[in-house]
């Protein structure tokens, strides 16, 4: 069996996961089947970071959700973290939900002395995998923010 993609041909033995066509591919004769597939070669990027909480004053111990939006759906393993500037300290937020979607939610807990009008991302390495992974469905890794300018909540 011969597989083709973008002008390249591969023998069935070269394909890690041969595709079962169930009549969806077109026959070309001589016992060959042409299968077309697309490879997602672009890793997901962070498009925005916001909060679903209403702007205002929060007491010590209050939890504020921070949402990181990606350019495409991502799958999360482990517990990645996000660092933000909370006024007098850098706060480390833990991942809480969103695997399989394009929006990951992190929890910010207000601590004594935190005083800021906006939670600013600490750096371009603020999104840390912490032993886990953030991948798109084609196994591309996302391990850091592309830019932290204008990414505040």
């Amino acid at each position: 069996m011969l597989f083709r993609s973008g002008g390249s041909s591969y023998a069935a033995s070269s394909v890690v996961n041969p595709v079962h066509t169930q009549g969806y591919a077109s026959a070309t004769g001589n016992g060959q089947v042409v299968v077309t597939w697309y490879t997602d070669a672009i890793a997901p990027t962070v498009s925005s970071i916001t909060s679903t909480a209403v702007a205002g004053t929060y007491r010590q111990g209050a939890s504020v959700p921070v949402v990181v939006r990606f350019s495409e759906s991502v799958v999360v393993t482990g517990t990645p973290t996000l660092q933000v500037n909370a006024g007098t300290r850098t706060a480390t937020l833990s991942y809480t939900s969103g695997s399989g979607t394009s929006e990951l939610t992190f929890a910010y807990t207000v601590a004594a002395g935190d005083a800021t009008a906006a939670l600013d991302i600490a750096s371009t390495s603020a999104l840390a995998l912490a032993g886990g992974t953030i991948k798109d469905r084609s196994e591309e890794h996302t391990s850091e923010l592309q830019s932290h300018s204008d990414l505040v909540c």
Side-chain angles (χ1 to χ4, degrees):
M1 187 179 285
L2 184 70
F3 295 94
R4 295 180 187 262
S5 173
S8 299
S9 299
Y10 303 94
S13 60
S14 301
V15 179
V16 175
N17 295 313
V19 178
H20 180 67
T21 62
Q22 269 187 315
Y24 295 110
S26 58
T28 60
N30 297 325
Q32 293 183 349
V33 175
V34 175
V35 177
T36 302
W37 73 90
Y38 300 94
T39 302
D40 180 5
I42 300 172
T45 57
V46 173
S47 57
S48 68
I49 299 177
T50 60
S51 178
T52 56
V54 177
T57 302
Y58 291 88
R59 295 179 184 257
Q60 180 179 342
S63 182
V64 178
V66 175
V67 179
V68 178
R69 287 188 179 88
F70 286 85
S71 57
E72 61 182 290
S73 294
V74 294
V75 177
V76 178
T77 63
T79 309
T81 61
L82 179 67
Q83 291 187 325
V84 297
N85 293 321
T88 59
R89 70 182 180 103
T90 299
T92 301
L93 288 57
S94 293
Y95 164 76
T96 59
S97 65
S99 185
T101 72
S102 61
E103 296 182 355
L104 302 184
T105 302
F106 292 78
Y108 163 64
T109 302
V110 179
D114 286 358
T116 183
L119 296 172
D120 187 17
I121 301 309
S123 70
T124 56
S125 60
L127 182 59
L129 297 177
T133 62
I134 301 175
K135 300 179 184 181
D136 67 8
R137 296 190 189 278
S138 65
E139 302 297 315
E140 294 293 328
H141 293 271
T142 298
S143 60
E144 60 185 45
L145 300 175
Q146 298 299 314
S147 170
H148 71 286
S149 61
D150 299 326
L151 296 179
V152 295
C153 40

